[in-house]
Amino acid sequence: MKILHWYPNLLRGGAVANGVLGLSHSQAKLGADVVIASASTTTEPLYYPIDRPKDVEFYEWCPRWFMNYRGRGLRILSRNTIKKLQSFDPEIVHVHGEFNIDNLHTCRIFHCPVVLSPRGAFAPRLLKRGVGVWGGKYAYLKLAKKILYEKVVAFHALSPLEKVQIEAVLPASQVYCAAQGPNLQLEKDLVPAGVKDGSVDEIQLLCVGRLDVYTKGLDYLIQAFAYAAKRIQGKRLCLRLIGPDCKGGKEQLKRLARSLGVLGHIRFEGVVIGKELIQALKTSDIYVQMSRHDGFGQSVCEALLMNMPAILSREIGCISYANIEDMAHIRKVPLSGGEAGNAIIDCAARLTELKALAKTHSNQLRTIFSWESAAQAHLNAYAKFSGCPLPAGN
């Protein structure tokens, strides 16, 4: 099976890029012939330079020129770039990420079935942001329905929650669900630490991700932390925020934390990667994330694979899997500082118990968040919706 993964912004890094790399590498291991196509960029990666898989062919194309359409950029491809892309002769093109005008190129370049992973783009809160009726996103959807979606044989949802969101926007579409694994650069080091002594005086809460206040719900998180810090008995709380600043989020959060009297208990640690990030996961006690919308939640996935008790908003996709919903060490809370704050107090009091419970679900979580399982699920979907034969050995 010949697969071309299309993600023009891959070299800028981020969670979508990590997902494309992990899936491509895992499909190649299962015998598929895989190519990744991405535009070149002069922008620094969000976290760190992309580590290109050695078993996947990588094609970096340079745009001939750039034009702006309703505030969104469209890269114009040269004839040589188009010919090179067509020379791969893929049987399936898998497009990643939506509301990217560059995705419209795929329907004129390639003449094979297309699978599309919106990767959280159809979340209701995200669609409604902007001026007018969904802003520029509404205009893009109208255009994509006429040009791109007619060639899409199936949409991929990262979680049951995202599947519902895609079907709400495109009710006549075929949608299949497949999770994903952790960042490939962390995967081999995601080995849980032993259960810490519950008698420690300080409880460390951890949240990993860019400091995008709205998307990541960091205003709710600071409110929850302040609520808990003022009410908890016999313990000190510390909140560690790991990730790059985004849209002035760091200063917004500092002002909010100062107004609530907890700025001195919050550590802004910036970008932390590799073994230092693994160490942060090992030395923290509870993972917390209050995203307003998140199709999957890669950082959440990695924290759960480290057997961390977690307090998470119900808008995070990876915890919508049926096998995860009843795990007692994962607290699912509404977007409310008070309810999340009470969850922090409760989890801090039961920390040893919750860590032991997390350990009992370790193998189950590793099965759900497995790159091999994800790659096989996608290959099966490609075969089902396009008629392409599975790679030899499947």
Side-chain angles (χ1 to χ4, degrees), residues 3-24 34-41 45-47 50 52 56-61 75 77 85 92-106 109-110 114-121 140 180 210 298:
I3 306 160
L4 185 139
H5 288 282
W6 176 270
Y7 182 48
N9 296 328
L10 185 133
L11 293 176
R12 296 180 185 175
V16 176
N18 289 331
V20 174
L21 293 169
L23 178 57
S24 302
V34 186
V35 175
I36 299 175
S38 173
S40 59
T41 182
L46 183 60
Y47 298 107
I50 292 298
R52 306 178 186 188
V56 174
E57 186 169 356
F58 191 95
Y59 178 59
E60 180 180 343
W61 51 270
R75 302 174 179 97
L77 280 64
L85 288 165
I92 285 283
V93 170
H94 192 150
V95 177
H96 299 267
E98 254 303 37
F99 302 116
N100 182 347
I101 300 178
D102 289 327
N103 290 348
L104 302 181
H105 286 306
T106 58
I109 295 173
F110 305 106
V114 174
V115 169
L116 195 151
S117 297
R119 293 191 171 267
Y140 175 88
Q180 68 176 45
R210 68 188 186 279
Q298 186 168 359

Side-chain angles (χ1 to χ4, degrees), residues 11-12 41 83 106 143 189 192 225 237-238 262 338 342 380 385:
L11 293 176
R12 296 180 185 175
T41 182
K83 287 181 180 178
T106 58
L143 192 61
D189 295 316
F225 177 75
L237 294 180
C238 167
V262 292
N342 282 327
N380 292 342
F385 294 113

Side-chain angles (χ1 to χ4, degrees), residues 261-288:
V262 292
L263 181 58
H265 300 279
I266 300 175
R267 289 156 50 182
F268 295 87
E269 301 187 21
V271 176
V272 176
I273 62 174
K275 292 188 176 179
E276 290 184 6
L277 179 54
I278 295 293
Q279 187 62 21
L281 289 164
K282 285 183 176 179
T283 56
S284 298
D285 299 294
I286 303 169
Y287 189 84
V288 286

